[in-house]
Amino acid sequence: MKLLIRYLKKQGQSYATEEVTVTGDTLQIGRGTNQHILLPDPRVALEHAKLVAYQDGCKIVTASGKDVLFNRLMVKNCAISIGDVIELSGHKITLLAGENGCDFVVQVKLSTAKQEPIQNRYQVKFSDLKLYKRSWSWIFFLLVFFACLLIPISGVISPSWMETLRESPLPDDKQWLAGELIKPHKFIGDDCSQCHQKAFQPTTNEACLTCHKTIKQHVPEVNVTEDFVAVEQCTSCHKEHNSRETLSEYSQQVCVDCHVEASLDKLEQHEYGSATDFEQHHPSFSISMLKPVLENKVTTGWDSERLLLNNVDLKEQSNLEFSHQLHMDPKGIKSATGEVQLACVDCHVPALNGLEMKLITMEDNCQSCHQLTFDPDDPKRVVPHGSPADVVLMMREYYAFRFIYQNLNNDVDNPIVKAGDLYSVRKVRRPGRDERLRKNFEQSLNSQTVAAIEKLTKQTVRTEALVWAESRANQAAIDIFERQACAVCHVMTKNEDDEVPWQVEPVALTKKWLPKADFTHHGHQTMACVDCHEADKSDLSSDVLIPDIENCQQCHGGLESKNLIPNTCIDCHDFHQAKDHFFRQLTHANQHIKSLEPITNAH
């Protein structure tokens, strides 16, 4: 679309004309030099409006907060036809029919009224008030010096006076304080030297990494221009003081209104104690722990039960025999490759969500030290970590094959069993005697005698192979189930009436101890595992190593805490949390119990 802009400017008794042709369907109108229709008037905005042309007319659209005059009415947008006039601060814009190949002619008639400069509109000046700049400068300087320096410093001399200043409208030490620490660092309190290792100097990356040792490079390296200031300091992104507030106000009082009195969960038949403040008034933690369902002293399923952590009789019944203290011995423990020193992270690896731990398995976590070998003559051969029936079957097959391979192979120099050589004659060492003796021996046996001996020999071989393989497999099974491997880590039961008398009680470790609390290990990476879990002192697998509230209160306080991390109810308890977590956990455990295979879920 082609548009013709025609400017009319009064010169004397007539108008001077200037024409500009624009290709397009939109004309920008304003005071800016980049506008198609330039109106050099301070009353007009830099980008005041735009004129959009169509096949049968045009439309005027103003910028935000601006308007134009059309038919004596102030409008923000309107459709205009040929002959219509719009006005902006006295300047008239008329839409005319096209000519000379143009679709429309936009005629702009500029106003000749002059605007008086703003600085000349007011006659009263500062000097007319008999107020002198130097005098007032000294007055304001002394006022700022007294209010912003002397009064706050007086509070430094007397702490009680500083508290009075803080509660009064008078200026206090907020004049120079950086502001409150972010919530996770409030436990630092007034000990500024933990971050600011040198007085009056910003904190350094080394000071941050003193606690955040596991933090690695997490700013991607990109190609930047030379004038780009690289992110070199932690504080470039992480602001410790006067952090941005959240949109939602998680008022603790909303929760306290209902939980000030003890309540009963009718669904789980569990009573919740009164709680009004995490630091001052909060009951002991309640955990959810799996409990085996026994029938004739055999585990057939699992239930979950809610228990208080301050219960002195609290014990985990996981059917696992394990000592954290033994495995965390600083001197190391024996393994197939020698002495090794284990740490918590060797077995307990946080999942991606940080709420749980990854699954602990025999293959990934235990097998490097606990190899399921069963025959001293073949130390590389191991049994599968599975059901007892599979283990016994594998050992029977192994020893049966070994009997055939070692005892009936004529190439073996010293066979253990001579059942296959009952009627053969050993070759003599003297030359010339062998063939004659063998021939005479064979000629002395008739066909019936030879057939009987062969039949008897085959039966003897079969019997001896079965007895030898069964006895060796049974002895190896006794060792591995009752002495060496299985009984070391698992609860074992034995019933002599069964074909396979040994049974391994299935293992199910509680996967999430505090399902009604939002806890993540990711937010506690600056701490060591033993700071919360006393695993190095636990000798029994029945020990519950989940810390109670006293451990958390070393760093976390209530809403009004000063030198602890202030926490409200919503920081740990999700109001919209689903209640079916443990139903899913029980379903997972009971699915594995059907196969009677050991299962291990990470704590």
Side-chain angles (χ1 to χ4, degrees):
M1 187 169 286
K2 192 173 182 181
L3 304 175
L4 177 66
I5 304 175
R6 179 180 296 157
Y7 290 95
L8 300 178
K9 187 174 182 180
K10 190 173 183 60
Q11 288 185 351
Q13 298 297 324
S14 62
Y15 285 91
T17 303
E18 179 181 354
E19 294 183 347
V20 178
T21 302
V22 176
T23 301
D25 56 1
T26 302
L27 298 178
Q28 301 289 342
I29 306 172
R31 180 165 46 91
T33 56
N34 62 340
Q35 304 295 293
H36 298 103
I37 300 177
L38 176 62
L39 303 178
D41 190 330
R43 296 171 296 177
V44 179
L46 293 174
E47 297 179 357
H48 196 103
K50 62 181 179 180
L51 183 70
V52 182
Y54 301 98
Q55 294 294 335
D56 54 351
C58 295
K59 181 180 180 180
I60 191 78
V61 179
T62 64
S64 177
K66 308 301 178 183
D67 47 37
V68 296
L69 185 64
F70 178 69
N71 292 334
R72 297 182 180 181
L73 296 176
M74 301 300 296
V75 296
K76 296 188 177 296
N77 56 75
C78 63
I80 58 176
S81 303
I82 295 177
D84 290 340
V85 179
I86 60 174
E87 185 175 345
L88 283 80
S89 301
H91 309 284
K92 296 181 178 180
I93 300 176
T94 306
L95 184 64
L96 303 176
E99 58 185 51
N100 299 328
C102 295
D103 295 285
F104 293 101
V105 176
V106 180
Q107 178 176 290
V108 181
K109 187 175 182 181
L110 300 176
S111 173
T112 57
K114 295 183 178 181
Q115 298 297 319
E116 184 182 5
I118 295 178
Q119 60 269 25
N120 296 329
R121 297 179 187 178
Y122 304 98
Q123 300 299 323
V124 180
K125 299 181 180 180
F126 189 78
S127 57
D128 296 337
L129 301 176
K130 305 299 182 181
L131 300 176
Y132 302 99
K133 296 180 180 180
R134 182 177 296 274
S135 301
W136 280 100
S137 298
W138 275 105
I139 291 174
F140 283 116
F141 168 76
L142 293 175
L143 180 62
V144 171
F145 180 78
F146 180 77
C148 299
L149 185 62
L150 292 184
I151 294 180
I153 284 182
S154 65
V156 175
I157 301 174
S158 174
S160 60
W161 171 240
M162 179 63 76
E163 292 297 329
T164 303
L165 290 176
R166 291 172 179 172
E167 296 176 358
S168 68
L170 295 174
D172 52 25
D173 54 356
K174 292 180 182 178
Q175 303 289 335
W176 55 73
L177 289 180
E180 291 187 0
L181 286 170
I182 60 174
K183 188 174 180 178
H185 287 174
K186 282 202 173 182
F187 69 93
I188 296 176
D190 298 329
D191 188 7
C192 304
S193 61
Q194 286 198 29
C195 297
H196 301 276
Q197 297 176 342
K198 294 183 179 180
F200 302 106
Q201 290 189 13
T203 185
T204 61
N205 289 349
E206 290 74 16
C208 298
L209 295 176
T210 302
C211 296
H212 300 276
K213 297 178 181 179
T214 59
I215 300 299
K216 299 179 181 179
Q217 175 71 22
H218 53 279
V219 178
E221 296 181 1
V222 294
N223 295 326
V224 295
T225 57
E226 295 181 356
D227 58 348
F228 178 79
V229 180
V231 178
E232 298 179 351
Q233 297 294 325
C234 301
T235 53
S236 299
C237 300
H238 302 281
K239 305 302 181 182
E240 300 301 308
H241 299 278
N242 290 325
S243 59
R244 184 180 300 175
E245 297 294 336
T246 59
L247 263 176
S248 301
E249 177 63 30
Y250 296 137
S251 174
Q252 180 168 285
Q253 190 59 41
V254 175
C255 304
V256 171
D257 288 342
C258 295
H259 290 277
V260 67
E261 301 291 344
S263 58
L264 177 65
D265 189 331
K266 296 182 179 180
L267 179 62
E268 299 183 0
Q269 293 300 313
H270 179 75
E271 183 176 1
Y272 295 96
S274 172
T276 58
D277 184 83
F278 184 77
E279 182 180 5
Q280 303 296 333
H281 184 208
H282 193 286
S284 174
F285 289 158
S286 293
I287 60 172
S288 294
M289 186 168 60
L290 290 177
K291 178 182 178 181
V293 178
L294 302 178
E295 292 184 9
N296 298 324
K297 299 182 179 180
V298 176
T299 302
T300 59
W302 300 89
D303 284 335
S304 76
E305 56 181 346
R306 297 281 293 173
L307 301 168
L308 290 173
L309 269 177
N310 59 4
N311 187 346
V312 294
D313 298 327
L314 191 64
K315 293 186 182 299
E316 183 182 8
Q317 304 176 57
S318 61
N319 292 333
L320 178 69
E321 300 291 341
F322 182 84
S323 171
H324 279 90
Q325 186 180 41
L326 175 63
H327 286 75
M328 297 182 65
D329 190 342
K331 298 179 182 179
I333 59 175
K334 293 181 179 180
S335 71
T337 57
E339 298 285 341
V340 295
Q341 290 183 335
L342 294 178
C344 301
V345 293
D346 292 328
C347 298
H348 301 284
V349 180
L352 293 177
N353 58 8
L355 302 175
E356 301 171 354
M357 291 291 178
K358 291 183 179 179
L359 185 71
I360 294 179
T361 63
M362 174 70 178
E363 293 75 14
D364 296 336
N365 305 101
C366 310
Q367 190 167 275
S368 59
C369 295
H370 297 276
Q371 297 182 355
L372 303 180
T373 59
F374 61 94
D375 193 327
D377 296 333
D378 194 357
K380 294 185 179 180
R381 193 61 180 262
V382 297
V383 296
H385 183 250
S387 66
D390 292 339
V391 173
V392 172
L393 178 61
M394 177 267 172
M395 289 192 293
R396 286 173 175 170
E397 293 174 344
Y398 168 80
Y399 283 112
F401 171 79
R402 183 172 167 183
F403 180 91
I404 297 173
Y405 185 78
Q406 293 186 358
N407 299 347
L408 300 182
N409 191 340
N410 292 329
D411 296 332
V412 178
D413 295 333
N414 298 308
I416 299 176
V417 178
K418 309 237 177 351
D421 296 328
L422 292 179
Y423 66 95
S424 64
V425 178
R426 180 177 61 85
K427 293 182 179 181
V428 298
R429 295 181 181 179
R430 183 179 301 179
R433 296 289 302 277
D434 178 38
E435 295 299 328
R436 188 180 73 252
L437 289 177
R438 177 175 292 276
K439 184 177 180 181
N440 294 337
F441 180 77
E442 292 178 351
Q443 290 176 350
S444 65
L445 298 176
N446 56 33
S447 60
Q448 291 82 3
T449 304
V450 172
I453 292 176
E454 289 180 349
K455 182 178 180 181
L456 177 62
T457 301
K458 292 180 181 179
Q459 293 176 349
T460 304
V461 171
R462 185 182 298 110
T463 302
E464 289 185 355
L466 180 61
V467 171
W468 188 81
E470 185 69 22
S471 61
R472 289 299 299 269
N474 184 66
Q475 183 59 44
I478 292 174
D479 290 339
I480 199 169
F481 284 119
E482 300 181 15
R483 302 169 186 169
Q484 296 177 356
C486 301
V488 175
C489 301
H490 295 279
V491 175
M492 301 293 303
T493 59
K494 188 175 183 181
N495 186 358
E496 298 290 352
D497 296 332
D498 295 336
E499 180 181 357
V500 179
W502 302 279
Q503 291 296 328
V504 179
E505 289 297 300
V507 174
L509 303 181
T510 301
K511 195 172 185 180
K512 191 172 183 181
W513 294 86
L514 302 170
K516 296 185 181 297
D518 290 335
F519 175 83
T520 171
H521 285 91
H522 285 174
H524 296 77
Q525 295 183 22
T526 59
M527 304 181 66
C529 300
V530 293
D531 291 340
C532 298
H533 308 282
E534 296 181 345
D536 55 337
K537 302 177 182 178
S538 172
D539 189 45
L540 300 174
S541 56
S542 60
D543 295 337
V544 177
L545 302 180
I546 306 300
D548 205 349
I549 189 172
E550 292 79 12
N551 183 278
C552 302
Q553 288 174 338
Q554 296 178 23
C555 299
H556 297 271
L559 183 62
E560 303 298 331
S561 297
K562 299 298 182 182
N563 294 334
L564 295 173
I565 301 174
N567 291 105
T568 61
C569 306
I570 202 67
D571 291 329
C572 300
H573 300 286
D574 186 0
F575 181 78
H576 300 284
Q577 191 170 20
K579 293 187 176 182
D580 61 342
H581 171 82
F582 275 95
F583 294 106
R584 294 196 302 268
Q585 182 175 346
L586 286 174
T587 302
H588 172 74
N590 288 323
Q591 286 175 349
H592 284 79
I593 199 67
K594 294 180 180 179
S595 61
L596 296 182
E597 293 182 359
I599 57 174
T600 52
N601 293 338
H603 285 281

